[in-house]
Amino acid sequence: MRYPPLNPRHSHLIHGADWNPDQWLERPDILDEDFALFPRAGLDHLSVGIFAWAAVQPAPDVWNFDWLDRIMDRLAAAGRFAILATPSAGKPAWLAQAHPEVQRVWEAGNRSEIGGRMNHCWTSPVFRERVAEVDHRLAERYSRHPALAMWHVSNEASGACYCELCRAEWHHWLQRKYGSLAELNRRWWTPFWSHAYSDWTQIDPKDHCLDGMWLDWRRFTSEHIAGFLGHEIAALRRHCPLVPVTSNFMGSVPDLDYWRFAPVLDVISNDAYPVYQPGEHLWIQASNDAFNFDLDRSLKGNRPWLCMESSPSTINWAGPAKLKRPGIHALEMLQNIAHGADGVCYFQWRQGRGGHEKYHGAVLGHDRDPSARVFREVQDVSTMLGKLDDVVGTPVPAEVGLIFDWESDWAIRSGSGIRERRPGLPWGQTAYQGACKDHYRGAWGNGLPVQMINGDGDPAPFTLLIAPAMYLLRPGMAERLAAWVRGGGILISTYLCGMVDEDNLVLEGGWPGQGLSEVFGVRYQEIDFLPDADRVPLAPVPANSLGWEVTVDATDVCCLLRSLGAETIASYGGEFYAGTPAITAHRYGAGTAYFIGAQLPAAELVDLYRRIADRHGLRRAIPGRLPLGVTAQVRSDGATEHVFLLNFTGIGQTIEVGPGCTNALGGPGPADGRMVLAAHGVAVLRRTTQP
Ligand code: GAL
């Protein structure tokens, strides 16, 4: 099985960059240089026009597409493609001055000043009309242009607006959802602190006291922004029904539900700026990024996606800007491909001379020197991508699923008392995504490819499903999972599982609720949240069915579990709950449900997942055991597999890859079934799919 290429006219992996010729219109020498160097860098796609609204519409009734015509024509003549952006993320000053309503109102109540970017209102009819007009003109002019590969709507669309227009939309959204204030008052538990509403307009989204409102405001905002993208897409489609449309996401950004965005787009794109500094924690950072990449692929059900932005060297906004060490760039780019990207692009092609991002990394630096280290590393990536045409369109064969549900994240963050919401950024604020990324790492570290689903997703395609901190249960979720386990599925969940319903109201009768206690064979009603320095030891139970023999310290959270028939794999070895279960396994129908009641360190969790995978015979990307910090990922069309070996450690590693593999990138392949990886090295192996 193979999906069509992201750009139907390009059957190779995409290699591209954001390019801002609108910043250099006075410098034809620079534009000539750009065109001379694109092929030398091996860039085939250029993302243009992202912040060019003022350049194409310098005044309300003045349009200037001449420069863009020339750029598009030159791209086509040079055999390059444009990912043509709509410019809605940055608006011209004249528009903001003439119509202050287009400016976003922030939560503090202040309206944006002229300038900046991504600070517009999502509702303003004036803004929507102006955006539709510029989009329509772009589509009318370029829909049949030979350089046009894809539309890129907006840029990192995000952030809520609290203006009167958006508040009115919010009130309409609530009316449609609840029908009556009586229903809303009931489901939001408004007797709390005398919140009962008698008029829709009283409902102020800035009030953080009601946990139901906290969820609904994020649901509304996600749908409203997705609706705005849909509005832009409709303007393009009038002239251009066939060219694919994308928009760039920001990984697992906390306040937007990308499951709600995905249906309006043809292609998912992602921006990723990992701070890949070599050192002890490189592999932790790497697996967190891998999580986001698998999420990008999963948002449209295992479809290849595009890395729209990454930095070829430094970033200008994240702490001390250390240089990317030699070799790390190829490792990072092939990591994207390993998890389903069909191309990698950079922010940015050329460093600008002015503006806030003039020291951000770029393919071409201020020295304009194509023999510079960064430029050469980009060339190396280009050479590697050129050897991987067979990868284009291939999905990831994942036997392991993971439930990633933004509503659980929001609900946990609203739960004051889950290790405190204030001050600073305490554990509770990152508890959900932290649990998801920790448990994802259990699969990543064992070379088990993962696909993600939303809580309402279908577990049927998976052998093993990980549902970390599945705090919020919407109707049907628990029943669906129970039936799947009864039928033979292997389910893993953790602390904070099954505690609230879709309205963020606590489930009564012990957790996990809605019948999941029977599935896991455990129940809990007390949770011990540990201050940072506290540890509670866990001791393996002799002769447990996983053969787990590790003694380990739990941090941050320990659920006090009572067994309802589950086997105890490990019990707490300290505190007043010493001797009670901490990790359990439970046969349920034909399946097994594991409950991991405490937060465990990364290495031990990888070990625990290895034992679970072995016990249930899960197929790993390679037969051998992976050293900590190395992963193996697979893409397959069903007949041929590409196995990506990625070494996020600073030492060389020898990996047992089994028979029948050749080196897809050229150079020495495996010898005696073993492949040698350099420190921070990467290899791509090709083999025939095994039955
Ligand atoms: C992204 C943004 C780009 C650029 C980049 C710098 O978030 O989409 O336009 O600002 O960051 O890292």
Side-chain angles (χ1 to χ4, degrees):
M1 194 275 163
R2 197 181 274 274
Y3 289 94
L6 301 180
N7 169 1
R9 287 180 293 135
H10 185 79
S11 54
H12 315 283
L13 293 169
I14 289 175
H15 195 205
D18 275 25
W19 176 41
N20 301 306
D22 43 307
Q23 294 179 15
W24 298 94
L25 294 178
E26 310 288 311
R27 291 288 304 275
D29 59 315
I30 291 285
L31 298 181
D32 288 348
E33 188 175 76
D34 289 343
F35 277 99
L37 292 180
F38 290 151
R40 280 182 66 185
L43 298 194
D44 37 61
H45 284 65
L46 283 308
S47 199
V48 288
I50 303 169
F51 297 105
W53 194 340
V56 295
Q57 192 184 9
D61 299 314
V62 182
W63 294 91
N64 177 12
F65 288 103
D66 295 352
W67 66 272
L68 191 52
D69 290 349
R70 286 196 298 277
I71 292 295
M72 293 292 282
D73 292 350
R74 281 187 81 171
L75 282 171
R80 315 282 122 186
F81 289 101
I83 300 176
L84 188 53
T86 65
S88 54
K91 54 193 149 19
W94 59 257
L95 176 59
Q97 186 175 42
H99 302 285
E101 70 158 74
V102 306
Q103 299 285 80
R104 186 172 301 174
V105 172
W106 302 103
E107 190 170 357
N110 56 315
R111 203 177 269 280
S112 288
E113 305 291 343
I114 293 174
R117 66 170 175 181
M118 193 37 67
N119 55 7
H120 52 265
C121 169
W122 298 108
T123 309
S124 158
V126 175
F127 190 65
R128 285 188 171 225
E129 272 162 33
R130 296 302 180 134
V131 166
E133 189 178 7
V134 68
D135 291 0
H136 147 82
R137 284 178 188 256
L138 285 167
E140 188 179 42
R141 203 168 185 97
Y142 301 113
S143 60
R144 281 179 196 76
H145 198 285
L148 179 66
M150 206 184 290
W151 292 105
H152 169 189
V153 289
S154 191
N155 186 71
E156 297 188 339
S158 54
C161 176
Y162 293 79
C163 77
E164 286 306 314
L165 297 166
C166 286
R167 287 163 70 101
E169 283 296 310
W170 152 245
H171 295 143
H172 290 143
W173 186 90
L174 291 173
Q175 283 166 29
R176 283 196 300 277
K177 174 165 180 180
Y178 293 104
S180 72
L181 278 172
E183 178 71 356
L184 177 142
N185 281 322
R186 187 179 67 74
R187 290 175 57 182
W188 279 10
W189 203 260
T190 58
F192 181 72
W193 290 353
S194 203
H195 270 74
Y197 298 108
S198 55
D199 190 288
W200 296 97
T201 59
Q202 294 160 355
I203 303 172
D204 180 356
K206 300 199 295 291
D207 184 346
H208 293 177
C209 304
L210 295 181
D211 297 345
M213 174 168 6
W214 169 277
L215 279 189
D216 273 341
W217 174 247
R218 282 160 180 72
R219 289 173 176 139
F220 161 74
T221 303
S222 296
E223 286 175 20
H224 201 39
I225 299 176
F228 183 89
L229 297 183
H231 170 76
E232 289 212 56
I233 293 166
L236 298 174
R237 293 261 197 255
R238 274 177 58 202
H239 296 284
C240 195
L242 297 179
V243 175
V245 181
T246 191
S247 183
N248 47 350
F249 290 174
M250 295 172 281
S252 55
V253 64
D255 282 316
L256 297 174
D257 181 351
Y258 283 149
W259 294 111
R260 291 172 207 245
F261 283 48
V264 304
L265 301 168
D266 300 314
V267 173
I268 302 296
S269 301
N270 186 54
D271 296 348
Y273 292 95
V275 186
Y276 274 163
Q277 306 301 356
E280 195 185 346
H281 297 298
L282 178 68
W283 71 282
I284 302 282
Q285 166 78 52
S287 71
N288 289 347
D289 282 290
F291 177 95
N292 288 346
F293 301 162
D294 277 337
L295 176 62
D296 293 317
R297 192 189 74 253
S298 305
L299 283 166
K300 285 191 91 67
N302 214 357
R303 257 191 128 81
W305 54 282
L306 179 64
C307 165
M308 182 67 87
E309 288 183 25
S310 61
S311 175
S313 57
T314 57
I315 40 188
N316 71 330
W317 44 260
K322 281 186 84 166
L323 294 173
K324 232 186 208 183
R325 271 36 191 170
I328 296 275
H329 183 57
L331 178 64
E332 182 189 329
M333 293 303 103
L334 286 180
Q335 185 195 23
N336 282 267
I337 306 294
H339 292 275
D342 265 4
V344 289
C345 304
Y346 309 114
F347 178 87
Q348 51 195 337
W349 158 249
R350 175 191 282 280
Q351 286 184 307
R353 291 192 59 210
H356 190 57
E357 296 185 318
K358 64 179 183 287
Y359 293 121
H360 196 287
V363 179
L364 193 62
H366 291 125
D367 57 8
R368 298 167 56 186
D369 178 5
S371 69
R373 181 180 73 94
V374 170
F375 196 95
R376 282 187 281 113
E377 293 212 22
V378 168
Q379 289 175 313
D380 292 346
V381 167
S382 174
T383 305
M384 291 179 188
L385 296 181
K387 295 185 173 148
L388 297 176
D389 286 355
D390 286 0
V391 170
V392 173
T394 56
V396 169
E399 244 190 310
V400 177
L402 186 145
I403 292 183
F404 181 70
D405 194 317
W406 268 278
E407 296 201 351
S408 271
D409 187 10
W410 302 339
I412 289 174
R413 283 162 51 211
S414 73
S416 192
I418 299 183
R419 266 280 305 269
E420 276 317 300
R421 223 159 82 191
R422 289 178 300 267
L425 188 68
W427 182 81
Q429 287 297 291
T430 54
Y432 179 71
Q433 294 217 6
C436 288
K437 289 176 183 172
D438 285 356
H439 285 262
Y440 169 84
R441 198 174 300 117
W444 181 92
N446 286 296
L448 294 162
V450 175
Q451 184 173 337
M452 294 178 200
I453 54 173
N454 196 10
D456 305 307
D458 181 6
F462 306 111
T463 308
L464 169 76
L465 186 63
I466 313 172
M470 187 177 52
Y471 180 75
L472 180 144
L473 299 177
R474 286 187 293 278
M477 277 171 68
E479 292 84 342
R480 189 166 37 251
L481 290 174
W484 176 75
V485 179
R486 258 198 313 277
I490 306 152
L491 180 65
I492 302 177
S493 194
T494 71
Y495 53 87
L496 303 187
C497 175
M499 292 177 61
V500 302
D501 69 9
E502 61 174 332
D503 296 321
N504 217 349
L505 297 178
V506 174
L507 296 169
E508 296 169 286
W511 308 304
Q514 295 187 352
L516 286 179
S517 285
E518 284 71 51
V519 177
F520 288 103
V522 292
R523 176 167 295 150
Y524 67 103
Q525 62 188 31
E526 285 192 285
I527 308 171
D528 199 17
F529 290 110
L530 311 177
D532 287 346
D534 278 21
R535 300 282 181 272
V536 177
L538 257 63
V541 169
N544 65 72
S545 60
L546 286 181
W548 206 48
E549 291 165 347
V550 176
T551 303
V552 63
D553 282 345
T555 60
D556 295 288
V557 56
C558 298
C559 289
L560 277 57
L561 304 178
R562 186 156 57 87
S563 173
L564 308 176
E567 174 203 350
T568 301
I569 303 286
S571 51
Y572 293 110
E575 282 300 340
F576 68 93
Y577 41 90
T580 64
I583 302 175
T584 58
H586 185 231
R587 284 293 294 175
Y588 183 72
T592 307
Y594 292 91
F595 201 89
I596 302 172
Q599 182 168 300
L600 304 182
E604 285 77 2
L605 211 45
V606 171
D607 184 62
L608 184 63
Y609 272 83
R610 179 173 62 80
R611 285 164 191 281
I612 293 174
D614 285 350
R615 178 171 172 201
H616 297 282
L618 272 89
R619 183 170 175 249
R620 304 204 215 132
I622 51 149
R625 189 166 165 181
L626 287 164
L628 209 57
V630 178
T631 191
Q633 301 290 329
V634 188
R635 295 185 64 171
S636 170
D637 66 0
T640 303
E641 291 182 341
H642 287 88
V643 180
F644 293 74
L645 298 175
L646 301 147
N647 178 9
F648 292 96
T649 73
I651 53 173
Q653 302 277 6
T654 301
I655 311 293
E656 199 191 312
V657 295
C661 297
T662 56
N663 187 342
L665 296 177
D672 298 328
R674 291 194 177 79
M675 184 75 194
V676 178
L677 292 178
H680 303 130
V682 51
V684 185
L685 304 179
R686 196 175 280 138
R687 70 183 179 203
T688 304
T689 301
Q690 289 133 26

